[in-house]
Structure formats: structure tokens, C-alpha cells
Amino acid sequence: MRKSLRITCALAAIGLPVVVLAPAKTAFAGDQLTVVSWGGALQAAQRKAFFEPFTKATGIKITEDEYNGEAGKIRAMVDSKTVSWDVVVAGSGSSMQLCAEGIIETIDWNKLGLDRAKFMSGDKHDCGVPTEVTASIIAYDKDKLPNGPKTIADLFDMQKFPGKRGLWKFPMLNLEWALIADGVAVKDVYKVLRTPEGVDRAFRKLDTIKKDVVWWTSGAQPPQLLADGQVVMTAAYNGRIYDANKNSGKHFEIMWDAAQLTFNLWAIPKGSPRRDDAYKFIAFAASPQAQADLTRYIPYGPDHKDAMALVDPAILPNLPNAPDHMANALEWDAVFWADKGDDLRQRFAAWLAK
């Protein structure tokens, strides 16, 4: 990520009319919108919760594409003035980066017709509309560890829970969890991590389990590590653990303490030929009902605060931002990692090589 991420994009204040979705109408050949997401289970869920209902409501056809979230693809389209994507899903970091570079549109919330203050992370993003909340958590196999970890400190307690740990082979997540386990309050994690002493403290804590860590590099690995008994607990993405339980019959348990929350956003590449329809789609997909509908297909939480009341109570415990999980959750700081990420990645690589 570039240091330009730190630049704050100015919010447009042109006061265009509020978008109101038209009732279903006959679709014409030109009425289509290209929406780009990350494929897999997420895009399948978005298709059911957003794409198909939007087309039914407006007559505007959705053409789907997939990418890996790389900012370079969007940048290349905009720079060459060959934009064929109208709406893209972006992570917090890439959204801020592309916003600072002027590659994606600054969101006009008046045109969108939604209240920015109603979104959990709305005030953090000038060029994106929050769509879902995901989490990195600690998981374990309840069949093999009936009395599993309760706090993030248990990840580092080798006496109480002997055995291998699975961790992402990257400094993110690990440094934050190390500080929380070492007694730093969640609200102070990034303040402490901005100091040389805080970084030293985090690495010292990681030293205590380093020899017992199995490092993973893709989201599919943690459930497999648990299933194979290679680790007693592991960092993982909450959606992967839910999927393993629902579709593979596993009895994995999520430990939500110090869950690290990340946010996906809808963004509009500069030069989209269908900007007005892109706003219509985002207004639809970011509405409370649509965000609540997504939870029926994938356990990612709605970012719109009013959506939580519309979520099925049986689904609520699986969501990262369920009220019971928020007391000690940590919101991942994209600005911090843009600023300090290069240095910390280098130090982490050197630490691993020791």
C-alpha cells in the first residue's frame, strides 16, 4: 500500500437528488451494469441477496465479473480510459488507496439517498459504501478440545493449551493479538503499535509461541489444519469456519474474543459509463433489508446499523458484529498498515528467518 493512502479525499457536496428505485420495468439492451466481486461463496451470496433482486426491481441486468481485489486492475482501466466495470467490491485498504489517487469516485451520499451516519464504518471511507463486516478469529475443534480457549491470551498459553497453533504468515493480526494478549487494551492497540517499544513488545510475545506455530498463507488452510489435527487452534476467517461446520459436518468453534473486523465496500471506478445506474445498485445493495438478506447466505455482518434488527435471530450469533461479539472486537486499521506496513513486513520476515 502507498503512503498516499493517508490523504483524505474531499466529500462531494453537490446535493444531487435522492435516488429512488423504480418499480420493475421492461429491460432494454442498454440497461445493464457490470458488478465485480471476489468470486466464491461471497459472490454467490451477493448474487442471491443483491444482484437478482435488483434486476427484478429495476429491470437493469447485472453482468458479473471477478477479481482478486487488486487495485492495479482498476487503476489500469481508469488510466487508459477503458473502464468496463461499473461497481466493484473493495477492501478497506484498497478503497482508501484508490480514493487518495483519484481512481474511484468520491461518494455523493445525497445522490445515494442513504444516511452515512447509519453505517458502522461510513465515516472512515469517502469513496466507498460499506457492504459487509468480516472477521479474523481463533477457531478450534470442539470434538478434540471440549474446553477450548476463551480469550486471546489463551492463544499464547502453552501450559493450559499445549499443541501447535495456526497463524497467518503475515504481521497483520499477529502483532495486534500479541499486544492484546500481553495486556494492551483493544482501544490502545494501534497507538502502542506505532511506537518502537510497542513493536518490540509484540514480537517478544510472539517469541513465546514461535516454535509451536504452523504458518498458513491461504484462507482454505486453517479448517484443514484443524480437521487434520495439525493444530489445536488457529487463526481463521469466520466465514470459512462456518462453511466447514455447515457443509462438511465439522464441529469447529469460534472464539470471538479480540476478533479483528474488516470491511468490504462498494466503489465506482472513475469513468464508469453507467454511473447513475451504479448509484442505483449501491443504494439497493447497501439498504438495511438487502444487507440483512445477505446474512441468510453467508455469515458476514451488515454494516448498516438498522440492518441488525432485520437479521434472523438464529443467524445473529454467527455474525462478526453481533452485539455479543463487539465488546472486545478490534477494527482493523487500514491507515496504520498503509503507514507502517512496509517496515513491519520487513521486520516480520526477518523475525521468521531467525
Side-chain angles (χ1 to χ4, degrees):
M1 293 182 189
R2 301 182 178 185
K3 294 290 181 75
S4 61
L5 175 58
R6 300 168 64 192
I7 301 171
T8 302
C9 301
L11 177 64
I14 50 179
L16 293 177
V18 169
V19 172
V20 178
L21 287 175
K25 59 183 179 66
T26 303
F28 296 96
D31 290 340
Q32 60 179 11
L33 199 67
T34 300
V35 180
V36 185
S37 190
W38 296 336
L42 173 60
Q43 193 155 334
Q46 291 170 333
R47 186 176 305 120
K48 294 175 182 176
F50 306 145
F51 305 162
E52 292 171 357
F54 175 74
T55 296
K56 185 176 180 181
T58 66
I60 300 171
K61 179 184 176 184
I62 297 290
T63 299
E64 296 182 39
D65 205 346
E66 299 178 13
Y67 80 136
N68 293 323
E70 60 269 41
K73 280 198 173 183
I74 304 171
R75 187 183 296 110
M77 280 188 183
V78 174
D79 288 347
S80 63
K81 294 183 170 54
T82 57
V83 177
S84 58
W85 291 353
D86 302 305
V87 181
V88 298
V89 175
S92 296
S94 61
S95 170
M96 288 182 176
Q97 177 184 344
L98 291 170
C99 184
E101 295 175 11
I103 301 297
I104 55 178
E105 296 276 356
T106 300
I107 296 297
D108 177 3
W109 286 83
N110 290 320
K111 182 178 177 68
L112 194 63
L114 293 172
D115 183 355
R116 187 176 185 175
K118 288 284 190 177
F119 290 81
M120 277 182 63
S121 53
D123 62 340
K124 298 180 177 67
H125 300 280
D126 291 325
C127 296
V129 178
T131 174
E132 63 247 350
V133 184
T134 68
S136 297
I137 46 77
I138 299 298
Y140 61 96
D141 190 335
K142 209 170 181 184
D143 290 341
K144 299 172 182 175
L145 201 65
N147 298 308
K150 301 297 187 293
T151 70
I152 204 64
D154 290 336
L155 175 67
F156 295 83
D157 192 335
M158 299 304 301
Q159 290 189 330
K160 188 175 180 182
F161 296 101
K164 299 288 186 180
R165 273 76 167 135
L167 291 177
W168 187 27
K169 198 175 183 179
F170 218 60
M172 298 175 196
L173 306 183
N174 297 316
L175 297 180
E176 289 97 330
W177 275 335
L179 287 180
I180 296 169
D182 204 46
V184 175
V186 166
K187 64 182 178 65
D188 296 328
V189 164
Y190 289 108
K191 181 172 69 175
V192 173
L193 205 50
R194 281 190 176 274
T195 67
E197 297 80 11
V199 173
D200 290 344
R201 182 176 175 182
F203 276 101
R204 281 197 303 271
K205 189 67 174 177
L206 286 172
D207 278 334
T208 64
I209 60 171
K210 183 181 179 183
K211 66 181 178 61
D212 294 297
V213 172
V214 176
W215 299 102
W216 55 262
T217 55
S218 76
Q221 290 175 270
Q224 196 60 51
L225 290 172
L226 285 177
D228 293 344
Q230 294 185 55
V231 298
V232 296
M233 64 182 78
T234 183
Y237 305 131
N238 77 289
R240 295 280 188 170
I241 298 302
Y242 176 87
D243 181 72
N245 288 341
K246 182 178 180 181
N247 297 317
S248 298
K250 301 302 181 184
H251 298 133
F252 297 159
E253 190 78 12
I254 290 177
M255 195 275 291
W256 290 100
D257 183 60
Q260 296 196 38
L261 307 183
T262 54
F263 304 90
N264 295 334
L265 304 106
W266 298 114
I268 303 173
K270 277 277 180 70
S272 161
R274 301 176 184 85
R275 184 173 174 270
D276 288 345
D277 283 348
Y279 265 93
K280 289 179 184 178
F281 171 76
I282 294 174
F284 181 93
S287 68
Q289 187 60 62
Q291 289 200 359
D293 287 345
L294 184 74
T295 66
R296 295 191 289 127
Y297 307 109
I298 196 166
Y300 292 156
D303 199 291
H304 199 297
K305 297 172 185 176
D306 289 349
M308 294 302 281
L310 305 176
V311 173
D312 184 335
I315 293 173
L316 197 60
N318 299 313
L319 304 184
N321 55 336
D324 289 349
H325 302 155
M326 289 297 292
N328 207 39
L330 175 70
E331 293 188 20
W332 181 76
D333 191 331
V335 174
F336 170 84
W337 281 103
D339 193 31
K340 301 291 186 181
D342 289 344
D343 291 341
L344 291 175
R345 282 189 288 272
Q346 290 176 20
R347 177 157 178 183
F348 187 75
W351 176 79
L352 282 177
K354 286 181 183 177

